[in-house]
């Protein structure tokens, strides 16, 4: 029997009502560490402790002096600043209090106000929020009272600086909207003073608040505006900070190449100016960018450089902690083990502060991950050490009165007990973390504890309680929907690890494998949960909400279509099917997620092998898993079209290639894919006067090979339908935009190289003069309002392919279909040869214009013509990658 151990945790219980409201997402785990470090660096540089005014740097004292003959208030300020910069915040408070009292006695109102604002900074570092608020309030009261009698430039400047510090305090207390308003006041004052540098600094702070509010695009626009101003100025620390902030926002919106370039510029300026804090901060952000780009060696190197350049123990320790988490994440346990005692030693020397507590918790999290990846005996020896670290963090958080960190530490210790199977202790700690998180309305931190509680209740057999906890986590994530836009940014946030499992595990609870009599209501609930996951995933992909026009339910579109919703769970495949005018049905296939995904990957690799039949038994196996259980019901319902709502690795498989032993699925049914349960309203092409905008490249451009058959393809399509043709030099970003803006084309056909990826930046098409990523393509195609009477009904992307080695690349295809504004999209999952593509596309338009059938049926008939053509040897390589996504009628 396993040895049980438990360290006592002192904690008070709180009760609170969960409020339903939108709130802003601070990232989870190591992201708190990152945000804390960069916030601290930014404020120290912009607002250093200084007797002569915030924002004016003084030479750093080489040694801390604690005694001076007849010390003046200025001496106390100098000592306070030195203590602050070395992380000794309690000592800093002592000297700043003396200085503030002395200036009050002398009647030096402005100097007293300046010291009080810096005293607030020191209190903030200690997590003493009440004292920090009192100090900054006194400072502002003195300054605003003074302003009524004297409006000198000096006191207005100090007032603006104090507002900057108040904004920092408000942001740290979760009052992002108030912080933004405060920093706008500071910006207005700097504008009034003609202080361009001060204005830029306060705009950078505004951008930070916008990010916390989820307004990442606004933050990006503001920082680009700041950059334009900075570009016309000589290099300065403000310029370095502005560029670094811009780089970090670019990380949030997932523009990683641009982020890296801007951060490199920031680093170069910081090095030229020999500013260790800014050098270290830029290196730190570059490390996180490289980490997100999965460039592990580069990230580790940047972290090491940040450690070497760190001007303070806090910054050095922060970089080491992120370095440790990356080493553990990539399985480099030997280097991680070398780093652990160094971190432990530095942690033990830190005075109590919010940052120190955050570091301890993050250290504990990393050690928990390490313990799960090593041998049982070694892991067991780590557990008491981890528990002690987290218990210390809990006690220190209580001492500081930081309920946010107290809840964070409690929940993390609960996670440790979950790993060691001490379920009741884990549940108690998790519930305490939940209650505290609700009490302080830290909604952004709520869902991980709800998920953790759900897992614990499930393990203890309380299924209804587990469902309630999981549903709470999903509801919280939905409240965070717009903020999940940036959650995958500069902390290597993993949507697949931190979000997707919550939805899938809830479905497993809603559809127990031993209960075959599930009600239609429960099936609908399960289907809706996965639908919410689809929406969140697409939002996360695009960094923005996706649906912008009035949707309709796919179940109501076509009475001759069946909708299939395969859901991959850990130990089985659940397929929910909607047949016309019938209740939902459930079909269960017992196959492990590992075997299913491995088989899907093998099939995905085998299908493009045009000289091999290796795909055939794999296609039969997947058919038996997904289609065979429902085959009889599909046959008796006499449906003509199968509509698949696919998720995960299923997106990479063309369903038409599944084989029943005699026929491909496409030979029996027209097939369509949809990204979710709702589509935009559409008018069938059979009811319209068809006009087509065709554009493409037949010549080699941007290192992509020539496509000589494109010219013939586009000319033949033009012979079937009236419209406009843009070929080669005529096909540019601007000409495409102008063509769409001037005429409403129901069909847009683009024959050019392109790629679909699981990241927006890797999803693009090639024009003569540029590369258009999915967001730019969306903007071009949305030149006409989505709600107008003539939207784009069909977008065809001929010659595009999914990114090799990307197991979720087809997410990009689904993303284009959702975001482009077109009601449906035809594209290919892999690159078929130029001649075949041209042949199939011409056949598709011939069927569409002559037979007056649905888009799905027209594509099916065109594919069957290719399948039956001896020239193509009946191999699915030639016809199966063409898929229709969206409205199929």
């Amino acid at each position: 029997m396993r040895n049980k151990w438990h360290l006592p945790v002192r904690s008070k219980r709180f009760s609170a009502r969960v409020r339903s409201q939108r709130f802003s997402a601070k990232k989870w785990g190591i992201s708190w560490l990152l945000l804390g470090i960069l916030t601290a660096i930014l404020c120290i540089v912009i607002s250093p402790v200084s007797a002569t005014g915030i924002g004016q740097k003084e030479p750093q004292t080489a040694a801390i002096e604690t005694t001076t003959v007849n010390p003046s208030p200025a001496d106390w300020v100098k000592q306070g600043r030195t203590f602050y910069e070395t992380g000794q915040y309690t000592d800093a408070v002592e000297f700043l209090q003396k200085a503030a009292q002395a200036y009050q006695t002398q009647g030096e109102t402005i100097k007293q106000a300046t010291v009080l604002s810096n005293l607030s900074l020191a209190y903030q570092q200690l997590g003493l929020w009440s004292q920090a608020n009192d100090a900054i309030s006194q400072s502002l009261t003195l300054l605003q009272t003074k302003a009524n009698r004297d409006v000198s430039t000096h006191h207005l400047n100090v007032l603006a600086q104090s507002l900057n510090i108040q904004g920092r305090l408000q942001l740290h207390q979760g009052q992002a909207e108030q912080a933004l308003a405060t920093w706008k006041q500071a910006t207005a004052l700097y504008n009034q003073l003609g202080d361009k540098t001060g204005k830029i600094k306060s705009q950078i702070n505004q951008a930070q608040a916008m990010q916390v509010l989820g307004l990442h695009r606004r933050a990006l626009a503001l920082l680009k505006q700041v950059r334009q101003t900075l570009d016309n100025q000589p290099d300065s620390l403000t310029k370095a900070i502005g560029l670094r902030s811009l780089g970090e926002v670019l990380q949030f919106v997932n523009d990683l190449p641009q982020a890296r370039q801007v951060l490199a510029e920031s680093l170069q300026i910081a090095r030229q100016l020999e500013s260790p804090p800014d050098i270290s901060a830029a290196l730190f952000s570059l490390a996180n960018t490289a980490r997100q780009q999965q460039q592990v060696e580069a990230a580790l190197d940047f972290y090491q450089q940040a450690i070497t350049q760190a001007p303070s123990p806090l910054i050095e320790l922060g970089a080491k902690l992120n370095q440790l988490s990356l080493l553990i994440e990539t399985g480099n346990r030997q280097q991680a083990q070398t780093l652990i005692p160094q971190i432990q030693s530095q942690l033990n020397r830190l005075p109590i502060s919010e940052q120190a507590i955050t570091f301890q918790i993050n250290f504990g999290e990393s050690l928990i991950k390490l313990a799960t990846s090593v041998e049982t005996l070694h892991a067991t020896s780590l557990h008491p050490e981890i528990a002690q670290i987290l218990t210390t963090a809990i006690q220190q958080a209580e001492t500081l009165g930081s309920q946010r960190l107290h809840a964070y530490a409690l929940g993390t210790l609960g996670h440790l007990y979950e790993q060691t199977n001490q379920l009741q202790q884990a549940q108690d700690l998790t519930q305490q973390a939940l209650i505290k998180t609700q009490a302080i309305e830290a909604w952004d931190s709520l869902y991980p504890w709800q998920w953790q509680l759900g897992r614990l209740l499930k393990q203890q057999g309380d299924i209804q309680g587990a469902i309630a906890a999981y549903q709470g986590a999903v509801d919280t994530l939905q409240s965070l929907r717009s903020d999940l836009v940036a959650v995958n940014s500069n902390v290597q946030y993993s949507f697949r690890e931190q979000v997707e499992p919550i939805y899938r595990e809830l479905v497993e609870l809603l559809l127990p494998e031993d209960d075959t009599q599930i009600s239609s209501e429960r099936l609908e609930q399960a289907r809706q949960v996965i639908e919410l996951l689809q929406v969140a995933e697409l939002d996360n992909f695009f960094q923005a909400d996706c649906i912008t026009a009035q949707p309709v339910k796919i179940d109501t579109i076509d009475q001759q279509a069946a909708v299939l919703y395969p859901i991959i769970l850990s130990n089985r495949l659940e397929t929910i099917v909607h047949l016309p005018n019938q209740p939902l049905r459930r079909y269960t296939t017992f196959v492990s997620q590992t075997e299913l995904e491995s088989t899907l990957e093998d099939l995905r690799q085998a299908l493009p092998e045009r000289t091999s039949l290796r795909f055939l038994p794999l296609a039969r196996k997947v058919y038996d898993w997904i289609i065979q259980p429902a085959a009889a019901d599909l046959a008796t319902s006499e449906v003509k079209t199968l509509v698949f709502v696919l998720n995960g690795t299923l997106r990479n498989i063309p369903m038409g290639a599944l084989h029943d032993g005699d026929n491909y699925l496409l030979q029996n049914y027209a097939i369509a894919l949809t990204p979710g349960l709702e589509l935009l309203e559409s008018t069938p092409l059979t009811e319209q006067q068809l006009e087509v905008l065709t554009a493409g490249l037949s010549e080699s451009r941007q290192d992509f090979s020539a496509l000589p058959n494109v010219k013939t393809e586009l000319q033949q399509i033009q012979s079937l339908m009236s419209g406009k043709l843009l070929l080669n030099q005529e096909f540019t970003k601007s000409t495409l935009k102008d063509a769409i803006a001037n005429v409403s084309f129901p069909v847009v056909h683009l024959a050019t190289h392109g790629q679909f990826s699981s990241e927006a930046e890797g999803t693009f098409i090639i024009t003569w003069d540029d590369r258009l990523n999915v967001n730019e393509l969306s903007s071009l195609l949305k030149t006409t309002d989505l709600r107008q009477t003539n939207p784009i009904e069909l977008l065809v992307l001929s010659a595009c392919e999914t990114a090799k080695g990307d197991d979720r690349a087809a997410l990009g295809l689904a993303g284009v279909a959702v975001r482009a504004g077109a009601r449906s999209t035809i594209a290919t999952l892999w690159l078929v040869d130029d001649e075949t593509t041209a042949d199939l596309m011409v056949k598709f338009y011939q069927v569409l214009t002559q037979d007056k059938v649905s888009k799905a049926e027209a594509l099916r008939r065109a594919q069957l013509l290719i399948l039956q053509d001896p020239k193509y040897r009946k191999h699915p390589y030639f016809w199966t990658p063409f898929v229709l996504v969206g409205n199929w009628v």
Side-chain angles (χ1 to χ4, degrees):
M1 184 173 177
R2 178 180 293 180
N3 243 350
K4 300 289 183 182
W5 47 268
H6 179 67
L7 292 171
V9 177
R10 296 184 295 110
S11 178
K12 299 174 184 177
R13 288 183 175 265
F14 292 86
S15 62
R17 174 175 54 90
V18 179
R19 300 180 186 175
S20 176
Q21 63 177 48
R22 289 182 58 133
F23 50 95
S24 177
K26 293 171 187 164
K27 285 18 126 245
W28 181 244
I30 62 170
S31 57
W32 280 23
L33 165 64
L34 176 68
L35 184 62
I37 289 174
L38 295 190
T39 301
I41 292 172
L42 187 66
C43 289
I44 291 169
V45 172
I46 291 178
S47 307
V49 180
S50 167
T52 55
I54 303 167
Q56 302 175 33
K57 277 204 158 191
E58 297 177 352
Q60 185 166 332
T61 306
I64 300 172
E65 300 177 6
T66 56
T67 59
T68 304
V69 178
N70 298 320
S72 67
D75 293 325
W76 288 328
V77 169
K78 184 177 181 181
Q79 290 178 332
R81 172 184 174 147
T82 304
F83 280 122
Y84 183 96
E85 290 181 341
T86 56
Q88 301 177 67
Y89 303 118
T90 302
D91 292 322
V93 164
E94 179 184 347
F95 281 94
L96 291 173
Q97 284 175 332
K98 289 181 181 179
Q101 184 62 46
Y103 283 133
Q104 181 180 15
T105 302
Q106 295 173 8
E108 296 277 3
T109 306
I110 298 296
K111 290 182 178 179
Q112 179 190 357
T114 301
V115 173
L116 284 168
S117 64
N118 290 312
L119 180 60
S120 176
L121 275 177
Y123 280 135
Q124 290 175 44
Q125 292 292 349
L126 291 168
L128 301 174
W129 305 116
S130 177
Q131 294 92 323
N133 280 308
D134 289 344
I136 197 63
S137 295
Q138 291 177 48
S139 175
L140 290 169
T141 298
L142 288 169
L143 292 167
Q144 288 161 350
T145 302
K146 178 74 174 174
N148 292 331
R149 305 191 306 271
D150 179 5
V151 289
S152 71
T153 297
H154 177 59
H155 88 257
L156 286 178
N157 186 54
V158 175
L159 174 59
Q161 293 163 348
S162 292
L163 286 169
N164 267 333
I165 292 177
Q166 184 186 44
R168 180 195 189 278
L169 175 59
Q170 289 167 332
L171 186 68
H172 212 82
Q173 294 179 105
Q175 301 164 7
E177 290 182 3
Q178 295 93 317
L180 181 58
T182 299
W183 280 326
K184 284 182 177 179
Q185 291 180 51
T187 303
L189 280 173
Y190 284 124
N191 203 42
Q192 178 184 337
L193 291 164
D195 184 345
K196 292 182 179 179
T197 300
K199 178 181 176 181
I200 288 170
K201 291 174 180 177
S202 57
Q203 285 177 319
I204 292 170
N205 285 336
Q206 281 186 52
Q208 187 180 358
M210 289 174 184
Q211 290 177 71
V212 174
L213 288 167
L215 306 173
H216 306 289
R217 296 290 171 184
R218 280 180 55 186
L220 182 60
L222 178 59
L223 288 171
K224 284 183 176 179
Q225 177 186 333
V226 167
R227 180 174 188 174
Q228 289 178 349
T229 304
L230 290 171
D231 283 345
N232 298 320
Q233 296 183 3
D235 290 345
S236 64
L237 291 182
T238 300
K239 190 170 186 176
I241 295 166
L243 289 171
R244 189 173 76 240
S245 298
L246 174 59
E248 288 160 4
V249 177
L250 287 166
Q251 285 178 278
F252 271 88
V253 299
N254 221 26
D255 189 349
L256 301 180
Q258 185 67 17
R260 194 154 180 175
Q261 178 183 331
V262 172
L263 289 169
E265 292 178 46
S266 175
L267 175 61
Q268 182 180 6
I269 294 171
R271 281 176 168 160
Q272 288 173 355
L273 299 175
E274 298 181 353
S275 174
D278 296 289
I279 293 171
S280 188
L283 288 166
F284 192 88
S285 291
L286 279 165
N288 288 316
T289 306
R291 182 175 184 171
Q292 191 176 336
Q293 291 176 305
Q294 298 182 343
Q295 298 175 6
V296 175
E297 292 304 318
L300 290 172
D301 181 59
F302 280 129
Y303 282 135
Q304 189 57 49
Q305 291 183 58
I307 292 166
T308 303
Q309 294 285 336
S312 74
L314 279 174
I315 296 173
E316 177 188 351
L317 186 53
K320 282 184 177 179
L321 281 164
N322 272 23
Q323 188 180 50
L324 174 67
S325 69
L326 179 55
L327 289 169
I328 294 171
E329 179 183 302
T330 54
N332 196 332
R333 296 200 295 267
Q334 186 173 354
Q335 277 186 268
Q337 293 284 4
T338 302
L339 202 54
I340 287 170
Q342 299 176 32
I343 292 173
Q344 182 70 74
S345 176
Q346 286 182 264
L347 277 173
N348 292 338
R349 295 196 301 269
L350 287 181
I352 295 178
S353 69
E354 277 224 329
Q355 195 68 75
I357 297 168
T358 304
F359 284 172
Q360 288 184 68
I361 299 170
N362 278 276
F363 186 44
E365 287 183 315
S366 289
L367 292 180
I368 291 172
K369 291 177 184 176
L370 178 63
T372 61
S373 66
V374 299
E375 298 81 4
T376 304
L377 183 61
H378 188 195
T380 303
S381 67
L382 278 175
H383 293 151
E385 180 183 349
I386 301 169
Q388 185 58 63
I389 291 167
L390 293 173
T391 300
T392 300
I394 291 168
Q395 293 167 351
Q396 290 184 357
E398 279 191 299
T399 300
L400 282 187
S402 174
Q403 293 194 57
R404 177 178 64 89
L405 285 177
H406 194 193
Y408 184 18
L410 285 166
T412 306
L413 183 57
H415 179 51
L416 174 64
Y417 285 135
E418 178 189 13
Q419 297 299 307
T420 60
N421 206 35
Q422 299 180 66
L423 301 183
Q424 189 56 57
Q425 295 98 316
Q427 182 178 332
D428 290 344
L429 288 162
T430 304
Q431 287 174 327
Q432 290 178 51
L434 264 172
I435 292 168
K436 283 187 173 292
T437 301
Q438 293 165 2
I440 60 175
E441 301 183 357
W443 312 115
D444 54 314
S445 304
L446 191 60
Y447 78 89
W449 306 141
Q450 293 170 313
W451 180 23
Q452 186 163 295
L453 180 61
R455 296 195 304 268
L456 292 165
L457 291 172
K458 178 185 176 183
Q459 288 185 71
Q460 296 176 84
D462 184 356
I463 301 304
Q464 290 307 311
I467 289 175
Y470 270 96
Q471 189 62 58
V474 167
D475 291 343
T476 299
L477 285 166
Q478 289 309 112
S479 297
L480 279 169
R481 177 182 168 188
S482 63
D483 298 310
L484 285 174
V485 159
V487 165
N488 69 337
S489 55
N490 50 4
V491 292
Q492 191 68 11
Y493 183 96
S494 173
F495 188 92
R496 295 183 74 174
E497 292 178 3
Q498 298 291 343
V499 175
E500 186 173 330
I502 298 175
Y503 293 85
R504 294 195 186 280
E505 289 168 18
L506 175 54
V507 172
E508 286 189 2
L509 290 169
L510 292 171
L511 303 178
E513 59 186 77
D514 55 352
D515 187 350
T516 58
Q517 302 298 317
I518 298 294
S519 66
S520 294
E521 291 76 14
R522 181 62 68 87
L523 289 174
E524 179 60 31
Q525 185 181 356
R527 189 170 71 150
Q528 287 293 340
V529 169
I530 292 296
E531 171 71 4
L532 294 176
L533 172 60
Q534 303 272 89
V535 171
E537 190 173 33
L538 286 169
D539 286 350
N540 181 260
F541 172 81
F542 282 113
Q543 313 291 290
D545 291 348
C546 292
I547 300 298
T548 56
Q550 184 61 40
V552 294
K553 295 287 186 182
I554 61 174
D555 294 345
T556 65
I557 290 174
D558 184 357
Q559 292 304 305
Q560 291 186 304
V563 181
L564 291 84
Y565 217 127
I567 304 169
I568 301 173
L569 302 179
S570 61
N571 65 339
R572 62 193 188 278
L573 176 72
E574 294 282 3
T575 304
I576 299 175
V577 178
H578 180 266
L579 299 171
N581 303 312
Q582 296 186 41
L584 293 176
R585 301 188 185 190
R586 169 201 185 188
Y587 304 90
T588 304
T589 301
F590 288 97
V591 56
S592 72
Q593 182 175 353
T594 301
E595 181 184 356
L596 175 59
E597 292 186 343
S598 174
T599 303
L600 292 173
E601 178 58 26
D602 288 345
L603 177 58
R604 171 66 180 84
Q605 292 183 11
L607 282 169
E609 297 172 358
R610 68 181 82 181
T611 60
S612 168
L613 296 179
R614 183 171 71 92
F615 73 89
L616 205 52
L618 297 169
R620 175 66 186 271
K621 182 182 286 189
V622 177
Y623 177 94
D624 289 343
W625 286 338
I626 299 176
I627 305 299
Q628 181 58 43
D633 293 334
L634 292 171
T636 57
S637 67
E638 299 183 346
V639 297
K640 298 185 181 301
T641 303
L642 301 184
V643 181
F644 291 89
V645 186
L646 302 177
N647 57 84
T649 52
L650 283 166
R651 290 193 188 99
N652 293 333
I653 302 300
M655 292 292 109
L658 302 187
H659 202 276
D660 65 4
D662 296 315
N663 293 305
Y664 293 105
L665 189 61
L666 185 79
Q667 292 175 283
N668 299 323
Y669 300 97
I671 292 172
L673 310 177
T674 78
L677 293 173
E678 294 181 336
L679 295 174
L680 302 181
E681 291 181 302
S682 175
T683 302
L685 290 176
T686 54
E687 300 175 12
Q688 299 189 46
Q689 177 67 38
L690 291 185
E691 285 190 289
V692 60
L693 170 62
T694 55
L697 299 176
S698 62
E699 299 180 16
S700 174
R701 297 297 293 175
Q702 302 178 46
D703 298 324
F704 285 85
S705 61
L707 297 169
N709 285 283
V710 161
K711 183 176 181 180
T712 303
E713 174 185 336
L714 299 186
Q715 289 174 342
Q716 289 190 24
I717 294 171
Q718 284 289 318
S719 71
L720 295 168
M721 303 163 63
S722 62
K724 185 177 181 64
L725 171 63
L726 302 173
L727 182 64
N728 293 329
Q729 293 93 331
E730 297 175 336
F731 177 31
T732 65
K733 184 189 296 187
S734 60
T735 56
L736 179 63
K737 181 177 181 180
D738 291 342
I740 293 173
N742 293 328
V743 180
S744 295
F745 293 98
V747 180
V748 174
H749 183 103
L750 305 178
T752 179
H753 282 291
Q755 177 178 277
F756 306 112
S757 167
S758 59
E759 295 184 351
E761 68 176 26
T763 297
F764 60 86
I765 64 166
I766 298 297
T767 66
W768 181 263
D769 62 339
D770 206 351
R771 174 182 289 197
L772 289 178
N773 69 34
V774 64
N775 288 309
E776 293 172 314
L777 178 63
S778 168
S779 297
L780 286 179
L781 297 178
K782 285 185 177 178
T783 302
T784 52
D785 186 0
L786 286 179
R787 290 178 294 276
Q788 69 169 19
T789 55
N790 297 307
I792 298 170
E793 292 292 343
L794 176 63
L795 169 66
V796 179
L797 298 173
S798 172
C800 297
E801 61 178 322
T802 54
K804 294 178 176 62
D806 186 341
D807 66 347
R808 288 153 60 90
L811 176 63
L813 193 160
V816 170
V818 169
R819 192 71 182 280
R823 294 338 191 212
S824 55
T825 301
I826 291 178
T828 52
L829 290 174
W830 59 78
L831 185 62
V832 184
D833 69 78
D834 186 34
E835 180 184 1
T836 308
T837 301
D839 194 3
L840 187 141
M841 286 299 169
V842 171
K843 286 179 168 57
F844 167 72
Y845 285 108
Q846 287 173 338
V847 174
L848 191 66
T849 54
Q850 296 169 11
D851 295 355
K852 300 296 182 181
V853 294
S854 71
K855 289 171 279 189
E857 181 60 21
L859 180 60
R860 172 177 176 267
R861 293 184 187 183
Q863 288 174 297
L864 289 177
L865 288 171
I866 297 294
L867 170 61
Q868 294 159 5
D869 190 331
K871 178 171 61 175
Y872 299 117
R873 305 186 302 279
K874 297 186 178 182
H875 197 286
Y877 162 81
F878 296 99
W879 57 266
T880 196
F882 297 88
V883 294
L884 171 67
V885 183
N887 198 304
W888 61 92
V889 295

